[in-house]
Amino acid sequence: MSMDALFNSVKTHGPVCVGLDTQEGFLPAYLQEKDWSLGEKLFEFNRKIVDATADNAGCYKVQVACYEALGLDGMTAYAKTLQYVRSKGKLVIADIKRGDISSTAKQYARGHFTGDFEADFITVNGYMGEDAVSPYYDYLKAGKGMFLLVKTSNPSSKDFQDLPLEGGELLYQQVAKKVSQWGEAFVGESGFSNIGAVVGLTYPAEFQIIKSLMPHTFFLIPGYGAQGGTGKDIAQVFHDGICGVVNSSRGLITAHKGKTEGEDFDQCVNQAVITMKEDILQWL
């Protein structure tokens, strides 16, 4: 089961998820100056980061938008990045946030759980209900995993996610309970389901409520670093054991900026991963 593998990876390597949301401006000068396509440069950047951080990263997350924006060259870099992470024995989350139903969702599942773009996990928007989630179930039974949006880290998430329902419960709380219910059929040896949840670190009080509603759920936690979340915030979530991975993208993969523009940039990124890992673990 994928979530068992992720749980074990986090126990061994720590809870840092390195976000490979790579953009041209993040590249060190030595790469920008190469006579390569932009996609080739992005992949080389990602490859060096994976090699440097493999011992300190619990997993990697690749945001497809950064690659889609570059057309076929970018999507080649995306595919090669996913394949490279997995070839190194590491787990990768494809951050695709799909949210459709029926045969369309089945095609998304096929497209991102098999073939050129195969990942271990994907992100999915389940706010259309179980019809947007169930087309992935066959892949979950075969060991893949997914993270459903529950409470996102952006400021305007409250526009809809915090709307009150009858009885005083908020919408995101009802979504949390539904996602937990859908995941019950896919709980592995770790006690966590192959259906995880995306919950932002920017709302620590709400996170405590969500965690109480989702006892078998492993979390993908954005909001650390650039968005204001800290290791101390995570300690409140992990107080009775690590139950998620904490993603940082820009805060890690631009760590070399102002320090080096050479091939040793990856060491700055690895040091940033170590610092983040220590910041989280010191509070546990």
Side-chain angles (χ1 to χ4, degrees):
M1 299 286 268
S2 278
M3 211 61 81
D4 289 343
L6 183 57
F7 175 70
N8 289 329
S9 179
V10 165
K11 281 201 301 184
T12 302
H13 301 288
V16 175
C17 174
V18 178
L20 297 173
D21 301 1
T22 308
Q23 300 176 45
E24 183 175 9
F26 298 170
L27 304 180
Y30 95 92
L31 268 180
Q32 296 203 31
E33 293 163 1
K34 285 191 178 291
D35 185 23
W36 297 351
S37 75
L38 181 53
E40 290 172 325
K41 295 175 185 178
L42 296 189
F43 172 66
E44 176 64 9
F45 181 82
N46 293 345
R47 184 190 70 79
K48 283 182 67 68
I49 288 175
V50 171
D51 284 348
T53 62
D55 288 340
N56 295 303
C59 65
Y60 297 84
K61 182 177 76 67
V62 189
Q63 171 50 258
V64 70
C66 297
Y67 304 86
E68 282 181 341
L70 306 178
L72 295 177
D73 184 42
M75 290 307 290
T76 298
Y78 175 77
K80 288 174 68 176
T81 297
L82 294 173
Q83 291 160 13
Y84 190 74
V85 172
R86 301 181 77 235
S87 77
K88 300 290 285 186
K90 303 296 290 187
L91 295 164
V92 66
I93 303 166
D95 196 355
I96 59 174
K97 294 187 180 72
R98 297 304 190 241
D100 216 321
I101 60 172
S102 190
S103 60
T104 305
K106 286 183 179 179
Q107 293 302 309
Y108 280 138
R110 179 184 174 191
H112 294 280
F113 279 147
T114 68
D116 294 339
F117 304 136
E118 183 177 358
D120 300 297
F121 302 87
I122 59 172
T123 56
V124 171
N125 187 343
Y127 271 78
M128 288 177 72
E130 192 173 15
D131 293 338
V133 181
S134 58
Y136 301 91
Y137 285 173
D138 285 345
Y139 292 92
L140 301 188
K141 292 172 186 173
K144 294 297 186 181
M146 61 200 296
F147 291 95
L148 302 190
L149 304 184
V150 173
K151 185 76 173 85
T152 55
S153 59
N154 57 302
S156 63
S157 66
K158 64 181 182 296
D159 289 354
F160 299 121
Q161 294 170 25
D162 288 9
L163 288 176
L165 307 177
E166 285 186 31
E169 191 173 58
L170 304 185
L171 177 58
Y172 78 82
Q173 295 169 351
Q174 181 62 35
V175 172
K177 290 199 288 191
K178 279 290 184 184
V179 171
S180 184
Q181 179 185 325
W182 300 335
E184 287 174 2
F186 306 102
V187 175
E189 294 178 1
S190 63
F192 293 110
S193 171
N194 273 1
I195 297 181
V198 180
V199 180
L201 192 60
T202 43
Y203 301 103
E206 289 87 340
F207 208 137
Q208 292 304 311
I209 297 169
I210 291 168
K211 187 179 174 186
S212 71
L213 298 172
M214 309 184 80
H216 300 294
T217 303
F218 208 69
F219 297 99
L220 171 58
I221 308 171
Y224 180 92
Q227 294 185 61
T230 68
K232 196 170 184 178
D233 294 327
I234 297 162
Q236 299 173 47
V237 179
F238 288 174
H239 67 89
D240 55 356
I242 294 176
C243 58
V245 288
V246 186
N247 180 74
S248 180
S249 301
R250 284 167 294 164
L252 298 177
I253 65 175
T254 65
H256 57 287
K257 289 299 181 180
K259 298 173 185 172
T260 179
E261 293 294 331
E263 293 189 35
D264 59 342
F265 81 93
D266 55 345
Q267 298 310 307
C268 294
V269 177
N270 186 45
Q271 185 55 54
V273 172
I274 292 170
T275 300
M276 176 177 168
K277 179 176 170 181
E278 290 174 346
D279 178 43
I280 295 170
L281 296 181
Q282 71 173 322
W283 299 99
L284 303 188

